[in-house]
Amino acid sequence: MKKTLLAEFTAKPGCEEQVAALVADFALLVRAEPGNLAFDVYHRASDPRAYWIFEEYRDEAAFAAHLAAPHGGPFNARLVPMIEEDASVLTFLTPAD
């Protein structure tokens, strides 16, 4: 069964460019993971500092591999000081049908 989630966070004022570059680089790495099916980055239309990232993985094992990937820790360590939240807020999704 696919593992699907939304990751949400808001860039602090003055950190917009750094967050955008960091997320863009991370997206390339995640999309190259064998079990990744989607890593789509969005901004809230009413607030371009607010990010919504739609992530989809082949299954639970692929998601676990994503969490264990060597690029995740450094990404989060760099991201957290530049966002308003304590960490990305994750919302796990299941199909409605």
Side-chain angles (χ1 to χ4, degrees):
M1 183 173 172
K2 292 179 188 175
K3 187 77 166 185
T4 307
L5 64 133
L6 282 174
E8 302 173 54
F9 54 86
T10 306
K12 289 180 179 175
C15 294
E16 296 91 345
E17 289 183 22
Q18 299 98 315
V19 170
L22 183 64
V23 170
D25 290 345
F26 187 62
L28 293 174
L29 295 170
V30 174
R31 290 176 186 144
E33 293 173 9
N36 179 262
L37 303 175
F39 192 90
D40 300 328
V41 180
Y42 296 90
H43 291 281
R44 185 177 301 149
S46 62
D47 184 0
R49 292 185 309 113
Y51 282 80
W52 288 33
I53 302 175
F54 176 81
E55 301 181 47
E56 191 168 49
Y57 300 88
R58 182 183 61 243
D59 53 25
E60 188 69 40
F63 182 63
H66 163 70
L67 294 177
H71 45 266
F75 168 78
N76 286 313
R78 290 185 59 204
L79 179 69
V80 167
M82 296 188 289
I83 63 174
E84 294 181 352
E85 300 79 7
D86 292 334
S88 296
V89 177
L90 304 181
T91 303
F92 292 90
L93 306 171
T94 58
D97 53 343

